[in-house]
Amino acid sequence: MTGTASPPQPRRRIFADLTPLRASADYRRLWVGSTISWLGQAMTALAISLQVYEITGSSFSVGLVGLFSLVPLVAFGLYGGAIADTVDRRKLGLYSSLGLTGLSLALAGAALLDYHRVWLLYAVVALQAVCGALNGPARSAMIPRLLPKEQLPAANALNSVTMTTGMMAGPVLGGVIVGWWGYQAAYVIDAVTFGAALYAMWRLPSMLPEGRQGRASVMDGLRFLGTRPNIRMTFFSDLAAMVLAQPRALFPAIAVLWYGGDARTVGLLVAAPAVGALLGGLFSGWQGRIRSHGLAILISVAAWGLAVAVFGLTRNLWAGLFFLAVAGCADTVSMVFRSTMLQAATPDGMRGRLQGVFIVVVAGGPRLGDFLAGTAAELTSPAVAITGGGLGCVLVVGLLAARWRNFARYDARSPQA
């Protein structure tokens, strides 16, 4: 008796799916290059902060480093995306990586010459942000051209491992290297690590946007976004989490008030979400079997909010670290599906501009959340600010889901923006 063969079932995985690394040599080189260069960039970020403090002795001056980075990143994020939809994305990624390499060499040269001027560090940080705003949309828009859409969740989970590993290991390595060999060593190593990213970009084929017609317009991208409710919802849901339920700015205060700790306690609080995010990326094999990406985003953002809210009620350090790690893991899950939806449901000719919007949201949302949390804590208390923010995130996500009900029905097999 003959019958129709049943379709092969997806292999059940626990750990991160490495299929994209095996399937595409171009993606593999891009991922390895990004992983190495992320470590170098994180080392340089720490070294710059340490050097600014050594020069000025002012925590306010160190805080300005973030401002000099944020403003160009937000201002150029949209335009970087428009450029990525106009020119060869390979060349844009290559030239912007060359710019970042040159800036690291400039920092190393200044340190070797004992030219310690805070204005130079601020200028380099701003230019690094400009190069990053050009590089990010180009690199992200390339990935759907290198892999089939069913491998995008796995690729984005691998990318999350890259970013989280850089954020965790980079500062540690940077501190050790600066302590042993000085700032110039960290900057030189950063410049050398960009060699891996440059090699990966150089080996890529030409990546001209599909269907491009002249210069891409930022306003056309925003108008396109206005007609795509599912893509808008990915941004709205992330803003709900990062603006309403972002406890990071309160870590120094609660380390003392709640746990009777010190700077080491603050370090643990900062590291806990990153540890959860890394675990979320490493144990991401199941994500490739999920088709309801919109529903997965709603659940993971609500989980972030609930974990933050419960963290606001804890007074035991280890319990608090656990719930922060849960929040970090939920954030990674949300990021994987938001990135996948953005890549799969957006026409290639618009991917750069929407990736630019993504950069603006990701960069600006947490900073606005820091301001909101600090203000709320000053007017009430840290506990009210954190728990209220977490519950507010869950409430807003529920209202968004009720307003745009098709988002929860989004099916990755037939992506609709």
Side-chain angles (χ1 to χ4, degrees):
M1 180 177 177
T2 61
T4 303
S6 59
Q9 296 298 312
R11 180 182 174 187
R12 292 190 175 276
R13 300 177 185 271
I14 297 175
F15 295 104
D17 184 358
L18 303 182
T19 301
L21 298 176
R22 292 191 293 265
S24 170
D26 286 327
Y27 174 76
R28 181 169 63 250
R29 284 189 291 267
L30 194 64
W31 184 81
V32 171
S34 296
T35 301
I36 295 173
S37 62
W38 258 96
L39 282 169
Q41 290 176 74
M43 288 167 47
T44 287
L46 177 76
I48 288 175
S49 295
L50 292 174
Q51 193 173 6
V52 168
Y53 188 77
E54 182 178 293
I55 294 170
T56 65
S58 166
S59 296
F60 175 76
S61 298
V62 176
L64 286 179
V65 172
L67 184 63
F68 274 95
S69 175
L70 175 64
V71 172
L73 190 61
V74 171
F76 283 87
L78 296 176
Y79 290 99
I83 295 171
D85 285 340
T86 303
V87 304
D88 185 343
R89 290 164 179 162
R90 170 188 171 271
K91 291 182 178 178
L92 181 59
L94 185 62
Y95 294 152
S96 55
S97 293
L98 277 171
L100 289 166
T101 304
L103 290 168
S104 293
L105 289 174
L107 288 170
L112 285 168
L113 295 172
D114 287 328
Y115 187 80
H116 302 298
R117 299 292 186 276
V118 72
W119 70 263
L120 175 64
L121 298 176
Y122 288 154
V124 168
V125 164
L127 291 173
Q128 284 176 331
V130 172
C131 290
L134 297 173
N135 187 274
R139 187 177 62 248
S140 297
M142 292 176 189
I143 294 175
R145 299 273 291 272
L146 301 175
L147 298 168
K149 66 179 182 180
E150 60 269 16
Q151 291 181 18
L152 291 179
N156 287 312
L158 290 170
N159 293 342
S160 76
V161 172
T162 290
M163 291 185 290
T164 308
T165 301
M167 288 187 293
M168 290 177 62
V172 175
L173 291 173
V176 171
I177 290 168
V178 169
W180 283 355
W181 298 300
Y183 302 113
Q184 64 273 14
Y187 299 143
V188 168
I189 292 173
D190 183 21
V192 171
T193 63
F194 272 112
L198 290 170
Y199 175 74
M201 291 286 182
W202 179 68
R203 289 290 305 272
L204 288 173
S206 176
M207 288 276 182
L208 287 169
E210 295 176 356
R212 67 173 186 147
Q213 296 179 349
R215 185 175 179 180
S217 165
V218 172
M219 291 308 301
D220 285 345
L222 295 176
R223 280 191 286 268
F224 173 83
L225 182 60
T227 65
R228 299 299 189 269
N230 284 335
I231 299 299
R232 290 201 309 274
M233 271 289 289
T234 65
F235 297 136
F236 292 158
S237 60
D238 187 49
L239 287 172
M242 295 297 101
V243 175
L244 296 176
Q246 179 56 266
R248 180 180 58 190
L250 304 182
F251 286 165
I254 63 180
V256 176
L257 296 175
W258 293 2
Y259 307 121
D262 52 19
R264 290 171 293 182
T265 309
V266 177
L268 290 174
L269 294 172
V270 172
V275 171
L278 180 60
L279 292 174
L282 292 176
F283 294 92
S284 60
W286 59 274
Q287 293 172 11
R289 301 192 295 272
I290 303 299
R291 297 289 178 262
S292 300
H293 288 184
L295 182 60
I297 292 170
L298 294 173
I299 292 173
S300 56
V301 173
W304 161 277
L306 282 174
V308 170
V310 176
F311 165 71
L313 298 174
T314 61
R315 296 299 180 270
N316 177 274
L317 177 60
W318 296 110
L321 294 175
F322 170 78
F323 286 109
L324 285 176
V326 170
C329 182
D331 184 48
T332 289
V333 174
S334 167
M335 186 278 295
V336 167
F337 289 118
R338 285 185 290 108
S339 297
T340 300
M341 187 181 293
L342 183 61
Q343 292 166 341
T346 304
D348 184 72
M350 283 287 178
R351 282 187 183 130
R353 277 165 283 187
L354 293 197
Q355 288 293 340
V357 176
F358 184 86
I359 286 177
V360 171
V361 170
V362 170
R367 272 72 176 188
L368 184 56
D370 289 342
F371 173 76
L372 183 62
T375 302
E378 187 70 21
L379 295 175
T380 56
S381 69
V384 171
I386 294 173
T387 299
L391 295 176
C393 169
V394 176
L395 175 62
V396 169
V397 167
L399 293 174
L400 290 171
R403 172 63 180 83
W404 287 284
R405 297 183 180 181
N406 285 335
F407 184 70
R409 304 187 188 103
Y410 177 93
D411 191 327
R413 289 169 292 192
S414 55
Q416 298 291 324

